[in-house]
Coordinates of all heavy atoms in Angstrom, one line a residue:
M1 N 125.4 146.7 80.8 CA 124.5 145.5 80.5 C 124.7 145.1 79.1 O 124.9 145.9 78.2 CB 123.1 145.9 80.9 CG 122.2 144.6 80.8 SD 120.6 144.8 81.6 CE 121.2 144.7 83.3
I2 N 124.5 143.9 78.8 CA 124.7 143.3 77.5 C 123.5 143.7 76.6 O 122.4 143.7 77.0 CB 124.8 141.8 77.6 CG1 126.1 141.5 78.4 CG2 124.9 141.1 76.2 CD1 126.2 140.0 78.8
E3 N 123.8 143.9 75.3 CA 122.8 144.4 74.4 C 121.5 143.5 74.4 O 120.4 144.0 74.4 CB 123.4 144.4 73.0 CG 122.4 144.8 71.9 CD 122.9 144.6 70.5 OE1 124.2 144.7 70.4 OE2 122.1 144.4 69.6
R4 N 121.7 142.2 74.3 CA 120.5 141.3 74.2 C 119.6 141.5 75.4 O 118.4 141.4 75.2 CB 121.0 139.9 74.2 CG 119.9 138.8 74.0 CD 119.6 138.2 75.3 NE 118.9 136.9 75.1 CZ 117.6 136.8 75.1 NH1 116.8 137.9 75.0 NH2 117.0 135.6 75.0
F5 N 120.0 142.0 76.5 CA 119.2 142.1 77.7 C 118.8 143.5 78.0 O 118.2 143.7 79.0 CB 119.9 141.5 78.9 CG 120.3 140.0 78.6 CD1 121.6 139.7 78.3 CD2 119.3 139.0 78.7 CE1 121.9 138.4 78.0 CE2 119.6 137.7 78.4 CZ 120.9 137.4 78.1
S6 N 119.3 144.5 77.2 CA 119.0 145.8 77.6 C 118.6 146.7 76.5 O 118.8 147.9 76.5 CB 120.3 146.4 78.2 OG 121.3 146.4 77.2
L7 N 117.9 146.2 75.5 CA 117.4 147.0 74.4 C 116.5 148.1 75.0 O 115.5 147.8 75.6 CB 116.6 146.1 73.4 CG 117.5 145.1 72.7 CD1 116.6 144.2 71.8 CD2 118.6 145.8 71.9
P8 N 116.9 149.3 74.8 CA 116.1 150.4 75.4 C 114.7 150.4 74.8 O 114.5 150.2 73.6 CB 116.8 151.7 74.8 CG 118.2 151.2 74.4 CD 118.1 149.8 74.1
G9 N 113.8 150.6 75.7 CA 112.4 150.6 75.3 C 111.7 149.3 75.1 O 110.5 149.3 74.8
T10 N 112.4 148.2 75.3 CA 111.7 146.9 75.2 C 111.1 146.6 76.5 O 111.4 147.1 77.5 CB 112.7 145.8 74.8 OG1 113.7 145.7 75.9 CG2 113.5 146.1 73.6
I11 N 110.1 145.7 76.4 CA 109.4 145.3 77.6 C 110.4 144.6 78.5 O 110.3 144.8 79.7 CB 108.2 144.4 77.2 CG1 107.2 145.2 76.5 CG2 107.6 143.7 78.4 CD1 106.1 144.4 75.9
S12 N 111.3 143.8 77.9 CA 112.3 143.1 78.7 C 113.1 144.1 79.5 O 113.3 143.9 80.7 CB 113.1 142.3 77.8 OG 114.1 141.6 78.6
A13 N 113.6 145.1 78.9 CA 114.5 146.1 79.6 C 113.7 146.8 80.6 O 114.2 147.0 81.8 CB 115.0 147.1 78.6
M14 N 112.5 147.2 80.3 CA 111.7 147.9 81.4 C 111.4 147.0 82.5 O 111.4 147.4 83.7 CB 110.3 148.3 80.7 CG 110.5 149.5 79.8 SD 108.9 150.1 79.2 CE 108.6 148.9 77.9
H15 N 111.2 145.7 82.2 CA 110.9 144.7 83.3 C 112.2 144.6 84.2 O 112.0 144.6 85.4 CB 110.5 143.4 82.7 CG 110.1 142.4 83.8 ND1 108.9 142.5 84.4 CD2 110.6 141.3 84.3 CE1 108.7 141.5 85.2 NE2 109.8 140.8 85.2
I16 N 113.3 144.5 83.6 CA 114.5 144.3 84.4 C 114.8 145.5 85.2 O 115.1 145.4 86.4 CB 115.7 144.1 83.4 CG1 115.6 142.7 82.8 CG2 117.1 144.2 84.2 CD1 116.7 142.4 81.7
E17 N 114.5 146.7 84.7 CA 114.7 147.9 85.5 C 113.8 148.1 86.6 O 114.0 148.8 87.6 CB 114.6 149.1 84.5 CG 115.8 149.2 83.5 CD 115.5 150.1 82.4 OE1 114.5 150.8 82.4 OE2 116.4 150.2 81.5
S18 N 112.6 147.4 86.5 CA 111.6 147.7 87.5 C 111.6 146.7 88.7 O 110.9 146.8 89.6 CB 110.2 147.5 86.9 OG 110.0 146.2 86.5
I19 N 112.6 145.8 88.7 CA 112.6 144.8 89.8 C 113.9 145.0 90.6 O 114.9 145.6 90.1 CB 112.5 143.4 89.3 CG1 113.6 143.1 88.3 CG2 111.2 143.1 88.7 CD1 113.7 141.7 87.8
A20 N 113.9 144.5 91.8 CA 115.1 144.5 92.6 C 116.3 143.8 91.9 O 116.0 142.8 91.2 CB 114.9 143.9 93.9
A21 N 117.4 144.3 92.0 CA 118.6 143.9 91.3 C 118.8 142.4 91.4 O 119.4 141.9 92.5 CB 119.8 144.6 91.7
P22 N 118.5 141.6 90.5 CA 118.8 140.1 90.5 C 120.2 139.9 90.1 O 120.9 140.8 89.5 CB 117.8 139.5 89.5 CG 117.6 140.6 88.5 CD 117.7 141.9 89.3
D23 N 120.7 138.7 90.3 CA 122.1 138.4 89.9 C 122.0 138.1 88.4 O 121.5 137.1 87.9 CB 122.6 137.1 90.6 CG 124.0 136.7 90.2 OD1 124.6 137.5 89.4 OD2 124.4 135.6 90.6
L24 N 122.6 139.0 87.7 CA 122.7 138.9 86.2 C 124.0 138.5 85.7 O 124.3 138.7 84.5 CB 122.2 140.2 85.6 CG 120.8 140.7 86.0 CD1 120.5 142.0 85.4 CD2 119.7 139.6 85.6
S25 N 124.9 138.1 86.5 CA 126.3 137.8 86.1 C 126.3 136.7 85.0 O 127.3 136.8 84.2 CB 127.1 137.3 87.3 OG 126.6 136.2 87.9
W26 N 125.4 135.8 84.9 CA 125.3 134.8 83.9 C 125.2 135.5 82.5 O 125.7 134.9 81.5 CB 124.2 133.8 84.1 CG 122.8 134.5 84.2 CD1 122.2 135.0 85.3 CD2 121.9 134.7 83.1 NE1 121.0 135.5 84.9 CE2 120.8 135.3 83.6 CE3 122.0 134.5 81.7 CZ2 119.7 135.7 82.8 CZ3 120.9 134.9 80.9 CH2 119.8 135.5 81.4
Q27 N 124.7 136.7 82.4 CA 124.5 137.3 81.1 C 125.9 137.7 80.5 O 125.9 137.8 79.3 CB 123.7 138.6 81.2 CG 122.2 138.2 81.6 CD 121.4 139.5 81.7 OE1 121.8 140.6 81.5 NE2 120.1 139.2 82.0
E28 N 126.9 137.8 81.3 CA 128.2 138.1 80.8 C 128.8 137.0 79.9 O 129.6 137.3 79.0 CB 129.2 138.4 81.9 CG 128.8 139.6 82.7 CD 129.6 139.8 83.9 OE1 130.6 139.1 84.1 OE2 129.3 140.7 84.8
Q29 N 128.3 135.8 80.1 CA 128.7 134.6 79.3 C 127.7 134.2 78.3 O 127.8 133.1 77.7 CB 129.2 133.5 80.2 CG 130.3 133.9 81.1 CD 130.6 132.7 82.0 OE1 130.9 131.6 81.6 NE2 130.6 133.0 83.3
A30 N 126.6 134.9 78.1 CA 125.5 134.5 77.2 C 126.0 134.6 75.8 O 126.5 135.6 75.3 CB 124.3 135.4 77.5
L31 N 125.8 133.5 75.0 CA 126.1 133.5 73.6 C 125.3 134.6 72.8 O 125.8 135.1 71.9 CB 125.9 132.1 73.0 CG 126.9 131.1 73.4 CD1 126.6 129.8 72.6 CD2 128.4 131.6 73.1
C32 N 124.1 134.8 73.2 CA 123.3 135.7 72.5 C 123.8 137.1 72.6 O 123.5 138.0 71.7 CB 121.8 135.6 72.9 SG 121.6 135.8 74.7
A33 N 124.5 137.4 73.6 CA 125.1 138.7 73.7 C 126.1 139.0 72.6 O 126.4 140.1 72.3 CB 125.8 138.9 75.1
Q34 N 126.6 137.9 72.0 CA 127.6 138.1 70.9 C 126.9 138.1 69.6 O 127.6 138.4 68.6 CB 128.6 136.9 71.0 CG 129.4 136.9 72.3 CD 130.1 135.5 72.5 OE1 130.5 134.9 71.5 NE2 130.3 135.1 73.7
T35 N 125.7 137.7 69.5 CA 125.0 137.6 68.2 C 124.0 138.7 68.0 O 123.5 138.9 66.9 CB 124.2 136.3 68.1 OG1 123.2 136.3 69.1 CG2 125.1 135.1 68.3
G36 N 123.6 139.5 69.0 CA 122.6 140.5 68.9 C 121.2 139.9 69.2 O 121.0 138.7 69.3
A37 N 120.2 140.7 69.3 CA 118.9 140.3 69.8 C 118.0 139.9 68.7 O 116.9 139.3 69.0 CB 118.3 141.5 70.6
D38 N 118.3 140.1 67.5 CA 117.3 139.9 66.4 C 116.8 138.5 66.4 O 115.6 138.2 66.2 CB 117.9 140.3 65.0 CG 118.1 141.8 64.9 OD1 117.7 142.5 65.8 OD2 118.8 142.2 63.9
F39 N 117.7 137.5 66.5 CA 117.3 136.1 66.5 C 116.4 135.8 67.6 O 115.5 134.9 67.5 CB 118.5 135.2 66.6 CG 119.4 135.2 65.4 CD1 120.8 135.4 65.5 CD2 118.9 135.0 64.1 CE1 121.7 135.4 64.5 CE2 119.8 135.0 63.0 CZ 121.2 135.2 63.2
F40 N 116.5 136.5 68.7 CA 115.9 136.1 70.0 C 114.5 136.8 70.2 O 113.7 136.4 71.0 CB 116.8 136.3 71.1 CG 118.0 135.4 71.0 CD1 119.1 135.9 70.4 CD2 118.0 134.2 71.6 CE1 120.2 135.1 70.2 CE2 119.1 133.3 71.4 CZ 120.2 133.8 70.7
F41 N 114.3 137.8 69.4 CA 113.0 138.6 69.4 C 112.6 138.7 68.0 O 112.5 139.9 67.5 CB 113.2 139.9 70.1 CG 113.6 139.8 71.6 CD1 114.9 139.9 72.0 CD2 112.6 139.5 72.5 CE1 115.2 139.8 73.3 CE2 112.9 139.4 73.9 CZ 114.2 139.5 74.3
P42 N 112.2 137.6 67.3 CA 111.8 137.7 65.9 C 110.5 138.3 65.7 O 109.7 138.3 66.7 CB 111.9 136.2 65.5 CG 111.5 135.5 66.7 CD 112.2 136.2 67.8
E43 N 110.2 138.7 64.5 CA 108.9 139.2 64.2 C 107.9 138.1 64.4 O 108.2 136.9 64.2 CB 108.8 139.7 62.7 CG 109.7 140.9 62.5 CD 109.2 142.1 63.2 OE1 108.0 142.3 63.2 OE2 110.0 142.9 63.7
P44 N 106.6 138.4 64.7 CA 105.6 137.3 64.9 C 105.5 136.5 63.7 O 105.5 136.9 62.5 CB 104.3 138.1 65.1 CG 104.8 139.5 65.6 CD 106.1 139.7 65.0
G45 N 105.5 135.2 63.9 CA 105.5 134.2 62.8 C 106.8 133.8 62.2 O 106.9 132.9 61.4
S46 N 107.9 134.5 62.6 CA 109.2 134.2 62.1 C 109.8 133.0 62.9 O 109.4 132.7 64.0 CB 110.1 135.4 62.3 OG 109.7 136.4 61.5
S47 N 110.8 132.4 62.3 CA 111.4 131.2 62.9 C 112.3 131.5 64.1 O 112.9 132.6 64.1 CB 112.2 130.5 61.8 OG 113.0 129.4 62.4
V48 N 112.2 130.7 65.1 CA 113.1 130.8 66.2 C 114.2 129.7 66.2 O 114.9 129.5 67.1 CB 112.4 130.8 67.5 CG1 111.5 132.0 67.7 CG2 111.6 129.5 67.7
R49 N 114.3 129.1 65.0 CA 115.3 127.9 64.9 C 116.7 128.4 65.2 O 117.4 127.7 65.9 CB 115.2 127.3 63.5 CG 116.1 126.1 63.3 CD 115.9 125.5 62.0 NE 114.5 125.1 61.8 CZ 114.0 124.7 60.6 NH1 114.8 124.6 59.6 NH2 112.8 124.3 60.6
E50 N 117.1 129.5 64.6 CA 118.5 129.9 64.8 C 118.8 130.3 66.3 O 119.8 130.0 66.9 CB 118.8 131.1 63.9 CG 120.3 131.5 64.0 CD 121.3 130.4 63.6 OE1 120.9 129.4 62.9 OE2 122.5 130.6 63.9
A51 N 117.8 130.9 66.9 CA 118.0 131.3 68.3 C 118.1 130.0 69.2 O 119.0 129.9 70.0 CB 116.8 132.1 68.8
K52 N 117.3 129.0 68.9 CA 117.3 127.8 69.6 C 118.6 127.0 69.4 O 119.2 126.4 70.3 CB 116.1 126.9 69.2 CG 114.8 127.4 69.8 CD 113.7 126.4 69.4 CE 112.5 126.7 70.3 NZ 111.7 125.5 70.3
R53 N 119.1 127.1 68.2 CA 120.4 126.5 67.9 C 121.5 127.1 68.7 O 122.4 126.5 69.3 CB 120.8 126.6 66.4 CG 122.0 125.9 66.0 CD 122.5 126.2 64.6 NE 123.0 127.5 64.5 CZ 124.2 127.9 64.9 NH1 125.0 127.0 65.4 NH2 124.6 129.1 64.7
I54 N 121.5 128.4 68.8 CA 122.5 129.2 69.6 C 122.3 128.8 71.1 O 123.3 128.5 71.8 CB 122.4 130.7 69.4 CG1 122.8 131.0 67.9 CG2 123.3 131.4 70.4 CD1 122.5 132.4 67.5
C55 N 121.1 128.8 71.6 CA 120.9 128.4 73.0 C 121.4 127.0 73.3 O 121.9 126.8 74.4 CB 119.4 128.5 73.3 SG 118.6 130.2 73.3
G56 N 121.3 126.2 72.3 CA 121.7 124.8 72.5 C 123.2 124.7 72.8 O 123.7 123.7 73.3
L57 N 123.9 125.7 72.4 CA 125.4 125.8 72.5 C 125.8 126.6 73.8 O 127.0 126.7 74.1 CB 126.1 126.4 71.3 CG 125.8 125.6 70.0 CD1 126.3 126.5 68.8 CD2 126.5 124.3 70.0
C58 N 124.8 127.2 74.4 CA 125.1 128.2 75.5 C 125.2 127.5 76.8 O 124.3 126.8 77.3 CB 124.0 129.3 75.5 SG 124.3 130.5 76.7
E59 N 126.3 127.8 77.5 CA 126.5 127.2 78.9 C 125.6 127.9 79.9 O 125.4 127.4 81.0 CB 127.9 127.3 79.3 CG 128.8 126.4 78.4 CD 130.3 126.5 78.9 OE1 130.6 127.0 79.9 OE2 131.1 126.0 78.1
M60 N 125.0 129.0 79.6 CA 124.2 129.7 80.5 C 122.7 129.4 80.4 O 121.8 130.1 81.0 CB 124.4 131.3 80.3 CG 125.8 131.7 80.6 SD 126.2 131.4 82.3 CE 127.4 130.1 82.1
R61 N 122.4 128.4 79.6 CA 121.0 128.1 79.3 C 120.1 127.9 80.5 O 119.0 128.4 80.6 CB 121.0 126.8 78.4 CG 119.6 126.5 77.9 CD 119.7 125.4 76.9 NE 118.3 125.0 76.5 CZ 118.1 124.1 75.6 NH1 119.0 123.5 75.0 NH2 116.8 123.8 75.3
S62 N 120.6 127.1 81.5 CA 119.8 126.8 82.7 C 119.5 128.1 83.4 O 118.4 128.4 83.9 CB 120.5 125.8 83.6 OG 120.5 124.6 82.9
A63 N 120.6 128.9 83.6 CA 120.4 130.2 84.4 C 119.5 131.1 83.6 O 118.6 131.8 84.2 CB 121.7 130.8 84.6
C64 N 119.6 131.1 82.3 CA 118.7 132.0 81.5 C 117.3 131.6 81.6 O 116.4 132.4 81.8 CB 119.3 131.9 80.1 SG 118.3 132.8 78.9
L65 N 117.0 130.3 81.5 CA 115.6 129.8 81.6 C 115.1 130.0 82.9 O 113.9 130.5 83.1 CB 115.6 128.3 81.2 CG 114.2 127.7 81.2 CD1 113.2 128.4 80.3 CD2 114.3 126.2 80.9
E66 N 115.8 129.8 84.0 CA 115.4 130.1 85.3 C 115.0 131.5 85.5 O 114.0 131.9 86.1 CB 116.4 129.6 86.3 CG 116.0 129.8 87.8 CD 117.0 129.4 88.8 OE1 117.8 128.5 88.4 OE2 117.0 129.9 89.9
Y67 N 115.9 132.4 85.0 CA 115.6 133.8 85.1 C 114.3 134.2 84.4 O 113.5 134.9 84.9 CB 116.8 134.6 84.4 CG 116.5 136.1 84.4 CD1 116.8 136.9 85.5 CD2 115.9 136.7 83.3 CE1 116.5 138.3 85.4 CE2 115.6 138.0 83.3 CZ 115.9 138.8 84.3 OH 115.6 140.2 84.3
A68 N 114.1 133.7 83.1 CA 113.0 134.0 82.4 C 111.7 133.5 83.0 O 110.7 134.2 83.1 CB 113.1 133.4 81.0
L69 N 111.7 132.3 83.6 CA 110.6 131.8 84.3 C 110.3 132.6 85.6 O 109.1 132.9 85.9 CB 110.7 130.3 84.6 CG 110.8 129.4 83.4 CD1 111.2 128.0 83.8 CD2 109.5 129.4 82.6
T70 N 111.3 132.9 86.3 CA 111.2 133.6 87.6 C 110.6 135.0 87.4 O 109.8 135.5 88.1 CB 112.5 133.7 88.3 OG1 113.0 132.4 88.6 CG2 112.4 134.5 89.6
H71 N 111.1 135.7 86.3 CA 110.7 137.0 86.0 C 109.6 137.1 84.9 O 109.3 138.2 84.5 CB 112.0 137.9 85.6 CG 112.9 138.0 86.7 ND1 113.9 137.0 86.9 CD2 113.1 138.9 87.7 CE1 114.6 137.4 88.0 NE2 114.1 138.5 88.5
D72 N 109.0 136.0 84.7 CA 107.8 136.0 83.8 C 108.1 136.7 82.5 O 107.3 137.5 82.0 CB 106.6 136.6 84.5 CG 105.3 136.1 83.9 OD1 105.3 135.1 83.2 OD2 104.3 136.8 84.1
E73 N 109.2 136.4 81.9 CA 109.6 137.0 80.5 C 108.6 136.4 79.5 O 108.5 135.2 79.3 CB 111.0 136.7 80.1 CG 112.0 137.4 80.9 CD 112.1 138.9 80.6 OE1 111.5 139.3 79.6 OE2 112.8 139.6 81.4
R74 N 107.8 137.3 78.9 CA 106.7 136.9 78.0 C 107.2 136.9 76.5 O 106.5 136.3 75.7 CB 105.5 137.8 78.2 CG 104.9 137.8 79.5 CD 104.0 136.6 79.8 NE 103.6 136.5 81.1 CZ 102.4 136.9 81.6 NH1 101.6 137.4 80.7 NH2 102.1 136.7 82.8
F75 N 108.2 137.6 76.2 CA 108.6 137.7 74.8 C 110.0 137.2 74.5 O 110.9 137.3 75.3 CB 108.5 139.2 74.4 CG 107.2 139.8 74.7 CD1 106.9 140.6 75.8 CD2 106.1 139.7 73.8 CE1 105.7 141.1 76.1 CE2 104.9 140.2 74.0 CZ 104.7 140.9 75.2
G76 N 110.1 136.6 73.3 CA 111.4 136.2 72.9 C 111.8 134.8 73.3 O 111.0 134.1 74.0
V77 N 113.0 134.4 72.9 CA 113.5 133.1 73.2 C 114.4 133.2 74.4 O 115.3 134.1 74.4 CB 114.3 132.5 72.0 CG1 115.0 131.2 72.4 CG2 113.3 132.2 70.9
W78 N 114.2 132.5 75.5 CA 115.1 132.5 76.7 C 115.4 131.0 77.0 O 114.4 130.2 77.1 CB 114.4 133.2 77.8 CG 114.1 134.6 77.7 CD1 113.1 135.2 76.9 CD2 114.8 135.7 78.3 NE1 113.2 136.5 77.0 CE2 114.2 136.9 77.8 CE3 115.9 135.8 79.1 CZ2 114.7 138.1 78.2 CZ3 116.4 137.0 79.5 CH2 115.8 138.2 79.0
G79 N 116.6 130.7 77.3 CA 117.0 129.4 77.7 C 116.6 128.3 76.7 O 116.3 127.2 77.1
G80 N 116.5 128.7 75.5 CA 116.2 127.7 74.4 C 114.7 127.5 74.2 O 114.3 126.6 73.4
L81 N 113.9 128.2 74.9 CA 112.4 128.0 74.8 C 111.7 129.2 74.3 O 112.1 130.4 74.7 CB 111.8 127.6 76.1 CG 112.3 126.3 76.8 CD1 111.5 126.0 78.1 CD2 112.2 125.1 75.9
S82 N 110.8 129.0 73.4 CA 110.0 130.1 72.8 C 109.0 130.6 73.9 O 108.8 129.9 74.9 CB 109.3 129.6 71.6 OG 108.3 128.6 72.0
E83 N 108.3 131.6 73.5 CA 107.2 132.1 74.4 C 106.2 131.0 74.7 O 105.8 130.8 75.9 CB 106.6 133.3 73.7 CG 107.5 134.4 73.5 CD 107.1 135.3 72.3 OE1 106.0 135.1 71.7 OE2 107.8 136.2 71.9
K84 N 105.7 130.3 73.7 CA 104.7 129.3 73.9 C 105.2 128.1 74.7 O 104.5 127.6 75.5 CB 104.2 128.8 72.5 CG 103.4 129.8 71.8 CD 102.9 129.2 70.5 CE 102.0 130.2 69.7 NZ 101.6 129.7 68.4
E85 N 106.5 127.8 74.5 CA 107.1 126.7 75.2 C 107.2 127.0 76.7 O 107.0 126.2 77.6 CB 108.4 126.3 74.6 CG 108.3 125.6 73.3 CD 109.6 125.5 72.5 OE1 110.5 126.3 72.7 OE2 109.7 124.6 71.7
R86 N 107.6 128.3 77.0 CA 107.7 128.7 78.4 C 106.3 128.7 79.1 O 106.2 128.3 80.2 CB 108.4 130.0 78.6 CG 109.9 130.0 78.2 CD 110.6 131.2 78.7 NE 110.0 132.5 78.3 CZ 110.2 133.0 77.1 NH1 110.9 132.4 76.1 NH2 109.6 134.2 76.8
L87 N 105.4 129.2 78.3 CA 104.0 129.2 78.9 C 103.5 127.8 79.2 O 103.0 127.5 80.3 CB 103.0 129.9 77.9 CG 101.6 129.9 78.3 CD1 101.4 130.7 79.6 CD2 100.7 130.5 77.2
S88 N 103.8 126.9 78.3 CA 103.4 125.5 78.5 C 104.2 124.9 79.7 O 103.6 124.2 80.5 CB 103.8 124.7 77.2 OG 103.5 123.3 77.4
L89 N 105.4 125.2 79.8 CA 106.2 124.7 81.0 C 105.7 125.2 82.3 O 105.5 124.5 83.3 CB 107.7 125.1 80.8 CG 108.6 124.7 81.9 CD1 108.6 123.2 82.1 CD2 110.1 125.2 81.6
R90 N 105.3 126.5 82.3 CA 104.7 127.1 83.5 C 103.4 126.4 83.9 O 103.2 126.1 85.0 CB 104.4 128.6 83.3 CG 105.6 129.5 83.6 CD 105.1 131.0 83.7 NE 106.1 131.8 82.9 CZ 105.9 132.2 81.7 NH1 104.8 132.0 81.1 NH2 106.9 132.9 81.1
Q91 N 102.6 126.1 82.9 CA 101.3 125.5 83.1 C 101.5 124.1 83.6 O 100.8 123.6 84.5 CB 100.5 125.5 81.9 CG 100.0 126.9 81.5 CD 99.3 127.0 80.2 OE1 99.5 126.1 79.3 NE2 98.6 128.0 79.9
T92 N 102.5 123.4 83.1 CA 102.9 122.0 83.6 C 103.3 122.1 85.0 O 103.0 121.2 85.8 CB 103.9 121.4 82.7 OG1 103.4 121.4 81.3 CG2 104.3 120.0 83.1
Q93 N 104.2 123.1 85.3 CA 104.7 123.2 86.7 C 103.6 123.4 87.7 O 103.8 123.1 88.9 CB 105.8 124.3 86.8 CG 107.0 123.9 86.0 CD 108.0 125.0 86.0 OE1 107.7 126.2 86.0 NE2 109.3 124.7 85.8
R94 N 102.5 124.1 87.3 CA 101.5 124.4 88.2 C 100.6 123.2 88.6 O 99.8 123.3 89.5 CB 100.6 125.6 87.6 CG 101.3 126.9 87.6 CD 100.4 128.0 87.1 NE 101.1 129.2 86.9 CZ 101.0 130.0 85.9 NH1 100.1 129.7 84.9 NH2 101.7 131.1 85.7
Q95 N 100.6 122.2 87.7 CA 99.7 121.0 87.9 C 100.3 120.1 89.0 O 101.4 120.1 89.3 CB 99.6 120.3 86.6 CG 98.9 121.1 85.5 CD 98.8 120.4 84.2 OE1 99.4 119.3 84.0 NE2 98.1 121.0 83.3
Ligands
LIG101 S1 120.3 130.2 76.6 FE1 120.0 131.4 74.7 S2 118.8 133.2 75.3 FE2 119.7 132.3 77.1 S3 121.7 133.3 77.5 FE3 122.1 131.5 76.3 S4 122.0 132.1 74.1 FE4 121.0 133.7 75.3

């Protein structure tokens, strides 16, 4: 599994391990897998601008965002959206 998605001990990794095997083949082409996870899981209050810039260039953006929304990923940047932006999108979809 690619580093960005499998950091040992992260909530994300634990979540992935606890669910039935989803199709994760899109992760093989994820740009963030080439940059490391730091940009995508910044310290609280840090900028996510660089992560979003990389996501903007990533062909897997739609699959990534769909995965994050489906699996209720709460932390980090997924599919070009921050935690707050995904929460807002979820709330909009429920209305
Ligand atoms: S959209 Fe962003 S977070 Fe998702 S796979 Fe691409 S680079 Fe990674």
Side-chain angles (χ1 to χ4, degrees):
M1 186 165 287
I2 298 168
E3 177 188 335
R4 184 258 199 270
F5 303 102
S6 62
L7 294 175
T10 64
I11 292 172
S12 178
M14 289 185 278
H15 188 72
I16 289 173
E17 291 166 5
S18 67
I19 57 177
D23 178 9
L24 301 176
S25 59
W26 58 271
Q27 293 182 359
E28 295 172 9
Q29 298 176 58
L31 285 184
C32 53
Q34 301 168 29
T35 63
D38 292 351
F39 292 130
F40 297 88
F41 296 97
E43 294 293 321
S46 298
S47 174
V48 294
R49 182 178 301 170
E50 185 61 16
K52 289 182 163 202
R53 187 189 70 76
I54 295 168
C55 291
L57 301 171
C58 180
E59 293 182 11
M60 298 298 110
R61 186 173 175 176
S62 294
C64 175
L65 180 57
E66 183 178 334
Y67 175 88
L69 294 173
T70 300
H71 295 87
D72 201 21
E73 289 288 350
R74 300 280 171 102
F75 302 98
V77 175
W78 294 79
L81 299 185
S82 68
E83 300 154 3
K84 287 182 181 177
E85 290 167 332
R86 291 194 308 280
L87 177 61
S88 177
L89 180 59
R90 270 193 227 101
Q91 290 171 340
T92 301
Q93 289 175 335
R94 288 184 190 137
Q95 295 175 355

